[in-house]
Amino acid sequence: MVLRWLRAGILGMVVLTALLYVVVANRAGDQAEAVRRTDGAIRQIVEAQGYAGTAKGALDLAIRTDAEELTGPGADFTNATAQVSALLTSAAEGNADRNEGRRHFQFVQGQLTTCAQLANRVVSEGPKCVWAEHARVADRTAEDGTAEVPFTGGLIQSLHDLEAIETAARDRQREARWLNPLLLWPLLTVPVAAMLLLVCATGYVVARHFRQYPSPALGLALLLTASVALTTCLRCRDGDADEWVMAIMLPLLVAAGALTYVGFKHRLAEYRFPHA
């Protein structure tokens, strides 16, 4: 009877680990995908900063060479601002700051549009309009001069502010419930620890009452279950809860259950007496 209860307990821990793995992998996978989208948005914002710098350089060159009166800001400026606009549109899809972030993206897009309009009006209005665009590029600080106020500088500074806000939101995503190691590790290792105690209890019963060594299959079942739990914790933390991993982990847990059954089979068979 004791062996049957121990077997049921070990099998229960294997099943519990499997259920927890499915839940954690699905939920963590969704949150990890959101983190990856935000990472992509941040990379695009950083790339947009480079193109904004290129646009400013092209405009400075046009001013220094007096080419703005003939050709306006030039093709390099136009192409660079078009790239900034495209990157901002793409990055907005990975926005992690929800409604507030959406307003920030719209504000920066508006700054970019105004910047391009001011630069393109140079042919008819002269370089005075271009210098107005340069004022938008300058950084602006708080009135007391002690701290920078987000989105009060020029286009390039606003892109840096947008990067900082999205980075902070990405960090909060990484500490979300199903990616938080303070939840993941206890949730998945407690069943393994309970299984370890049950396997040790089984070994004690088999050694003391049967005068035999416990089956190695139980140790292998424990090893497979622990490897699934630990791998899940590590991969979910890194955002790698992929479907192909699930295709490997679940068969490992099935094998652990089968090994548990085999590990008890011979001991329980010794108590199967024929009925009179």
Side-chain angles (χ1 to χ4, degrees):
M1 182 62 68
V2 172
L3 287 180
R4 290 182 186 277
W5 279 107
L6 289 171
R7 182 180 66 178
I10 294 175
L11 288 174
M13 293 302 102
V14 174
V15 173
L16 179 59
T17 301
L19 293 175
L20 290 174
Y21 170 76
V22 172
V23 173
V24 169
N26 286 332
R27 298 294 180 85
D30 293 340
Q31 293 180 348
E33 179 60 29
V35 172
R36 283 193 288 269
R37 288 196 301 268
T38 306
D39 278 331
I42 293 172
R43 288 193 296 270
Q44 290 170 329
I45 292 172
V46 173
E47 188 176 356
Q49 295 169 9
Y51 280 108
T54 300
K56 183 178 183 300
L59 194 56
D60 289 339
L61 179 62
I63 293 171
R64 288 197 303 270
T65 58
D66 294 328
E68 76 281 355
E69 296 182 0
L70 298 175
T71 62
D76 290 342
F77 175 85
T78 302
N79 293 335
T81 52
Q83 287 289 343
V84 174
S85 179
L87 288 168
L88 283 175
T89 301
S90 180
E93 298 178 1
N95 168 42
D97 205 18
R98 298 189 179 182
N99 295 333
E100 190 68 21
R102 189 179 301 113
R103 288 192 291 270
H104 293 154
F105 273 99
Q106 292 172 350
F107 174 80
V108 178
Q109 283 279 20
Q111 268 194 315
L112 175 64
T113 300
T114 302
C115 175
Q117 289 174 347
L118 288 171
N120 288 327
R121 284 166 51 192
V122 69
V123 175
S124 59
E125 298 187 15
K128 179 180 179 181
C129 184
V130 178
W131 292 115
E133 188 277 335
H134 271 257
R136 297 181 60 82
V137 176
D139 295 338
R140 187 175 302 168
T141 59
E143 293 182 359
D144 58 3
T146 59
E148 293 183 354
V149 179
F151 300 104
T152 57
L155 174 62
I156 296 176
Q157 182 59 45
S158 292
L159 286 170
H160 284 284
D161 294 337
L162 187 61
E163 177 193 357
I165 288 175
E166 291 298 315
T167 300
R170 189 268 316 277
D171 293 340
R172 291 193 298 270
Q173 285 180 323
R174 286 179 172 171
E175 297 302 324
R177 178 182 304 172
W178 298 103
L179 298 180
N180 191 337
L182 296 178
L183 171 68
L184 283 180
W185 285 90
L187 188 65
L188 288 167
T189 56
V190 166
V192 175
M195 184 177 177
L196 174 61
L197 293 176
L198 292 171
V199 170
C200 292
T202 301
Y204 174 80
V205 171
V206 171
R208 182 175 179 84
H209 296 279
F210 290 84
R211 306 299 181 185
Q212 296 183 14
Y213 292 107
S215 173
L218 295 179
L220 185 56
L222 175 63
L223 180 62
L224 291 177
T225 306
S227 65
V228 170
L230 294 177
T231 303
T232 302
C233 290
L234 294 174
R235 291 187 67 83
C236 286
R237 178 57 181 168
D238 295 335
D240 293 327
D242 302 319
E243 293 182 359
W244 68 268
V245 177
M246 183 178 294
I248 296 175
M249 296 301 178
L250 292 180
L252 289 179
L253 292 172
V254 171
L259 288 169
T260 299
Y261 180 82
V262 171
F264 282 91
K265 182 177 180 181
H266 297 296
R267 300 288 79 80
L268 290 174
E270 297 181 13
Y271 281 96
R272 292 177 182 174
F273 302 106
H275 294 286

